[in-house]
Amino acid sequence: MSFWHSMSWKTEGIQVAAPVQWRQLDGLVSVLWEAESQAGASGYYLADDPRIMFFFNDVSSNVRISNRNDDFARNSRSMARAVYVPAGVPMWTSSKSAHRFSHLNLHLHKDRALRYLMPSVGSSAAQTAIRRPVELQDVSAIEALAKLLADEIRNPSKHAVYAESLVGSIVAGLLDIPAETSEKAAGRLTQAQMNKLQSHIEKRGDYRMTIADMAATVDLSESWFASVFKQTTGKSPLQWQLSKRIDQAKQLLAEGDLPVATIAAQLGFSDQAHLTRVFRQIAGETPAAWRKLQQG
C-alpha cells in the first residue's frame, strides 16, 4: 500500500539537531527525529491518520501536552515516553526548559493498522483499539523494538518486511486492545486510575469534584476523561459522584439516628427534600422508608 502521511504542524523554539531520517513502508512511514527545544517552546500537531510517538529519552519533566487549546495549564499533562494518537486528534505541546530529545514517529494508514490487528483480535476489537488514545510511561515492553526499528531506519540492512514486522509488534504492544470479554467500548479507565480517583475523593471528604478536577487526578484531559469514565462506570462523572453521596447517606442512615435533614446538610444537598428526591431516584425508596427497612 503506497502511503504518505498528511499532517498539519507548527512549532516555535524547536530546531532539528541532526538530519531527519525516514523510511516509507507498506501503509506506513517511520521517521526518526533528533531535535533541541528551547525553554518555552511550543508545538501544534494534527494528523489525518493514527500515529505513534516514541521518545528514546524521558521528557516528562520538560514537556507538557494537551488536546485542548484553551487553558493549557489546567488541561495539560506530562508527555509520556510512548504516545498513540488516534486519527484527527489535535495535540499542543509546551516545553518548560531547554532540552534535547530523540523520538520515533510512526504514521500509520488506518487500514494498515487494522490489518495488523484484525486477524488476531477481530474487526470490532481492532476498530475499538485504533480509536483509543494511549499514553505509556513504562515502555519496557516495546523499547527494544523501537531501538531495533531506529537502527533499521538509520542503516537499512534487511528486507522491508523486517521493519514492518517491528512496527506491527510496537502497535500490538502499545495499543489498548480490548480482551474478548471486554465491553465494546471506546476506552476504559484502569483499575489503578479508579482507585486513585476514589482515594482522592475520600481524602476530600465529599463527592463534589468538577470533571476537570477528576480528570487532573488521573492525569487525563477533561474531554478524554469524560468519555472513558462513562464507558468504565456506566455513569457520567457527576452521576457517579451523586450515587456515591447516596451511598454515604445510606451508611449514615443505617449506623445512627441522625435526622434526614442533618444528613442532607452534611452531604451537601440543598435541603431534606433535595436528598429525598435524589435518594428515591437511586435507591427506589425515601430515606425514611429505607432506614425503616434496614432496621427491620
Side-chain angles (χ1 to χ4, degrees), residues 42-63:
S42 62
Y44 164 74
Y45 311 87
L46 177 63
D48 293 339
D49 294 280
R51 63 191 181 95
I52 291 171
M53 300 170 61
F54 182 94
F55 287 85
F56 292 99
N57 54 313
D58 187 354
V59 299
S60 60
S61 63
N62 288 317
V63 181

Side-chain angles (χ1 to χ4, degrees), residues 91-102:
M91 177 184 290
W92 286 264
T93 66
S94 177
S95 298
K96 293 182 180 179
S97 57
H99 64 282
R100 183 164 179 156
F101 61 93
S102 171

Side-chain angles (χ1 to χ4, degrees), residues 75-93:
N75 294 311
S76 65
R77 57 201 182 275
S78 297
M79 175 72 83
R81 288 282 307 277
V83 178
Y84 170 73
V85 186
V89 174
M91 177 184 290
W92 286 264
T93 66

Side-chain angles (χ1 to χ4, degrees), residues 2 217 247:
S2 179
T217 299
D247 287 343

